[in-house]
């Protein structure tokens, strides 16, 4: 009897100290600095608030999807919450892998998700994903470039023609180009050129339309403005931080990180505009709960916590300057460096000519490679605008349609 009493006591002690564990897999916040901030400043308070343990793991969209499919097929579901990119969301819904959150979210009266992302996160009137971490492109200028700025150029209201002229003057004055794009294949070049194409009315990512040709003509005119080391850049942050390059148009959170590193040396602005307006590729990631999770209640609490307007602003400011896609978040913005990044990004989102990666591609990486190869061959090597080459590469893009 005494042994039984001791055993029951041990069990009760273990249960008293056992902590429920929530497994969250995310394609967002993969850079080490971003992940560290989310773990320490956002997730730890949640763990303390609800006395739970959160295992936060980052991985690419395809790996995350395959992993959960296997868990579903084997009946061993260990992932509770996922954060997926907009382009992948239809596959999650189509394969019946995530929970319809509509009846739960409708009770949250203190937040309204930005309508601009409904086309990506709501399917057949049902909200499966809660948008988080939206992004657009912004302009970043090192003040060293100001000595070459053409007269009457308003940095906060730049046109692509003005930026190209300015970048060329910098190159002439310094003896080498100081404009940064990602020249390493499979990075963000397609989005940087996409911003130009959209501002000229192009049907991005297609190449066989007047807007796209106008964009490539502008890039051709900037052929001497790119940094000599541009083919080694897989990210524009390091050369901008090293001040090896002075100008770029890049992802808002990456721009925010550079700006935060030395706000007295940099100027941020919306992406430049063209005849059609401010062009930018936009996107968002989304939170969802995996069907069959054994931890549904705490998973729902996690989603409710992560999408609180004040938490959205805190997490998005701390990770560089993503756009919080909750309308009520704006009132939590102030006037510090990261607030300025987010305000500029919101301006692009609200006023810009936007496009996003539609879920129509067999292999988006192959589409990205078309832009990488065109830039390398046509601009950096041959230094010309070749419309026939654009039409030829369009065939490769067409071949990737589902």
């Amino acid at each position: 009897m005494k042994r039984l009493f001791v055993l029951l006591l041990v069990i009760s002690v273990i249960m008293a100290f056992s902590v429920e564990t929530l497994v969250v897999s995310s394609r967002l916040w993969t850079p080490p600095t971003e992940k560290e901030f989310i773990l320490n400043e956002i997730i730890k308070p949640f763990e303390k608030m609800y006395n739970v343990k959160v295992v936060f793991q980052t991985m690419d969209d395809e790996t995350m999807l395959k992993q959960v499919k296997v868990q579903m097929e084997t009946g061993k579901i260990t992932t509770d919450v996922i954060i997926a990119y907009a382009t992948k969301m239809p596959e999650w819904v189509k394969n019946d892998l995530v929970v319809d959150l509509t009846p739960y979210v409708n009770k949250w009266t203190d937040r309204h998700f930005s309508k601009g992302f409904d086309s990506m996160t709501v399917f057949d009137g049902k909200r499966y994903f809660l948008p988080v971490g939206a992004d657009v492109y912004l302009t970043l200028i090192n003040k060293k470039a100001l000595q070459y700025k053409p007269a009457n150029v308003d940095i906060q209201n730049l046109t692509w023609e003005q930026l190209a002229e300015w970048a060329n003057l910098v190159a002439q004055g310094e003896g080498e180009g100081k404009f940064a794009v990602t020249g390493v294949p499979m990075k963000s070049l397609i989005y940087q050129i996409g911003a130009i194409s959209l501002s000229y009315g192009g049907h991005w990512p297609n190449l066989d339309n007047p807007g796209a040709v106008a964009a490539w003509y502008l890039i051709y005119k900037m052929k001497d403005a790119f940094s000599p080391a541009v083919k080694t850049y897989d990210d524009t942050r390091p050369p901008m931080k090293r001040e090896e390059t002075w100008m770029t148009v890049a992802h808002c959170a990456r721009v925010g990180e550079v700006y935060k590193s030395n706000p007295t040396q940099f100027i941020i602005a919306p992406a430049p505009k063209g005849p059609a307006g401010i062009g930018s590729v936009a996107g968002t990631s989304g939170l969802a709960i995996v069907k069959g999770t054994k931890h549904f209640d705490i998973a729902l609490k996690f989603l409710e916590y992560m999408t609180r307007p004040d938490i959205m602003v805190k997490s998005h400011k701390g990770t560089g300057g993503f756009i919080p896609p909750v309308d009520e978040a704006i009132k939590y913005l102030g006037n510090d460096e990261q607030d300025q990044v987010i305000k500029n990004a919101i301006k692009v989102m609200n006023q810009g000519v936007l496009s996003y990666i539609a879920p129509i591609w067999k292999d988006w990486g192959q589409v990205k490679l078309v832009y990488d190869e065109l830039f390398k061959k046509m601009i950096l090597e041959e230094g010309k605008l070749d419309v026939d080459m654009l039409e030829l590469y369009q065939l490769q893009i067409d071949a990737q349609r589902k």
Side-chain angles (χ1 to χ4, degrees):
M1 188 66 186
K2 185 177 180 181
R3 284 185 178 179
L4 179 61
F5 175 76
V6 172
L7 179 62
L8 291 173
L9 181 63
V10 170
I11 292 173
S12 63
V13 169
I14 291 173
M15 290 184 66
F17 286 94
S18 65
V19 175
E20 188 174 13
T21 299
L22 189 73
V23 176
V24 180
S25 296
S26 172
R27 53 85 51 194
L28 190 64
W29 303 312
T30 53
T33 53
E34 294 181 12
K35 187 172 181 177
E36 182 180 1
F37 180 86
I38 291 297
L39 286 172
N40 292 329
E41 304 297 329
I42 303 297
I43 289 182
K44 278 188 178 177
F46 173 80
E47 291 176 322
K48 186 176 181 181
M49 188 181 301
Y50 291 106
N51 189 32
V52 296
K53 172 71 176 174
V54 176
V55 176
F56 183 79
Q57 50 193 13
T58 50
M59 62 183 70
D60 64 84
D61 270 292
E62 194 60 35
T63 302
M64 188 163 57
L65 184 64
K66 288 180 179 176
Q67 188 181 72
V68 173
K69 277 184 176 178
V70 170
Q71 292 176 12
M72 200 69 74
E73 289 165 4
T74 58
K76 297 179 179 177
I77 299 168
T78 56
T79 303
D80 304 299
V81 172
I82 56 109
I83 304 177
Y85 191 63
T87 308
K88 280 289 180 183
M89 292 176 190
E91 284 190 65
W92 287 92
V93 175
K94 181 182 175 183
N95 286 282
D96 199 24
L97 299 175
V98 289
V99 175
D100 173 14
L101 297 169
T102 311
Y104 311 100
V105 174
N106 284 345
K107 296 176 183 175
W108 302 346
T109 57
D110 62 339
R111 71 204 74 175
H112 295 83
F113 296 100
S114 303
K115 290 293 183 187
F117 298 106
D118 280 0
S119 62
M120 307 177 194
T121 55
V122 176
F123 298 80
D124 294 329
K126 298 176 181 178
R127 182 176 291 285
Y128 289 91
F129 286 88
L130 308 184
V132 62
D135 56 67
V136 292
Y137 275 55
L138 297 179
T139 303
L140 181 66
I141 304 289
N142 188 308
K143 289 182 180 176
K144 290 180 178 177
L146 292 178
Q147 60 187 304
Y148 300 105
K149 185 174 76 67
N152 302 320
V153 166
D154 177 0
I155 298 176
Q156 298 301 320
N157 200 27
L158 267 177
T159 68
W160 275 108
E161 291 289 340
Q162 290 172 334
L163 184 61
E165 180 189 4
W166 187 2
N168 283 331
L169 289 173
V170 169
Q172 291 166 20
E174 293 297 311
E176 64 177 30
K178 295 287 186 182
F179 197 95
V181 294
T182 51
V184 170
M186 300 289 279
K187 298 301 177 182
S188 58
L189 182 68
I190 191 171
Y191 310 116
Q192 293 173 302
I193 297 177
I196 309 173
S197 181
L198 290 163
S199 72
Y200 280 88
H203 302 294
W204 181 81
N206 290 341
L207 302 165
D208 58 348
N209 59 86
V213 174
W216 282 100
Y217 179 62
L218 183 116
I219 296 164
Y220 150 71
K221 289 199 297 182
M222 293 177 67
K223 63 183 186 303
D224 298 323
F226 299 107
S227 166
V230 71
K231 286 196 286 188
T232 69
Y233 298 157
D234 62 357
D235 187 327
T236 58
R237 286 173 291 184
M240 289 298 290
K241 284 183 178 177
R242 292 194 301 266
E243 302 191 60
E244 177 179 305
T245 57
W246 294 353
M247 315 168 93
T248 192
V249 176
H251 185 286
C252 55
R254 316 301 178 234
V255 163
E257 182 184 320
V258 179
Y259 182 60
K260 188 178 181 181
S261 71
N262 191 356
T264 62
Q265 189 59 33
F266 293 100
I267 300 169
I268 54 169
K273 62 184 179 181
I278 302 173
S280 179
V281 178
T284 188
S285 298
L287 287 149
I289 297 177
V290 175
K291 267 194 172 179
T293 171
K294 296 176 182 176
H295 309 285
F296 179 82
D297 289 343
I298 196 64
L300 188 62
K301 285 184 171 67
F302 184 74
L303 266 59
E304 189 280 326
Y305 170 82
M306 293 296 286
T307 58
R308 291 178 188 177
D310 59 327
I311 297 298
M312 272 251 187
V313 169
K314 183 179 178 182
S315 61
H316 290 26
K317 284 177 63 175
T319 50
F322 287 96
I323 302 170
V326 169
D327 294 343
E328 289 79 359
I330 294 175
K331 68 180 181 182
Y332 291 94
L333 291 174
N335 292 303
D336 65 22
E337 292 87 4
Q338 298 316 109
D339 292 318
Q340 295 305 317
V341 175
I342 294 175
K343 286 179 178 178
N344 273 284
I346 289 174
K347 181 178 180 180
V348 174
M349 185 177 73
N350 290 339
Q351 300 179 15
V353 182
L354 306 180
S355 185
Y356 69 102
I357 309 170
I360 61 172
W361 305 102
K362 288 187 281 191
D363 185 347
W364 179 246
Q366 294 302 312
V367 181
K368 294 176 78 172
L369 278 177
V370 168
Y371 276 69
D372 297 328
E373 290 177 15
L374 266 176
F375 181 70
K376 175 176 173 286
K377 187 173 183 180
M378 188 170 73
I379 303 300
L380 298 183
E381 293 178 0
E382 299 184 9
K384 66 179 183 181
L385 176 69
D386 187 336
V387 176
D388 291 337
M389 190 182 294
L390 290 177
E391 292 183 353
L392 188 64
Y393 275 86
Q394 177 64 42
L395 297 177
Q396 293 186 27
I397 291 178
D398 291 339
Q400 292 303 322
R401 296 179 193 279
K402 289 180 180 175

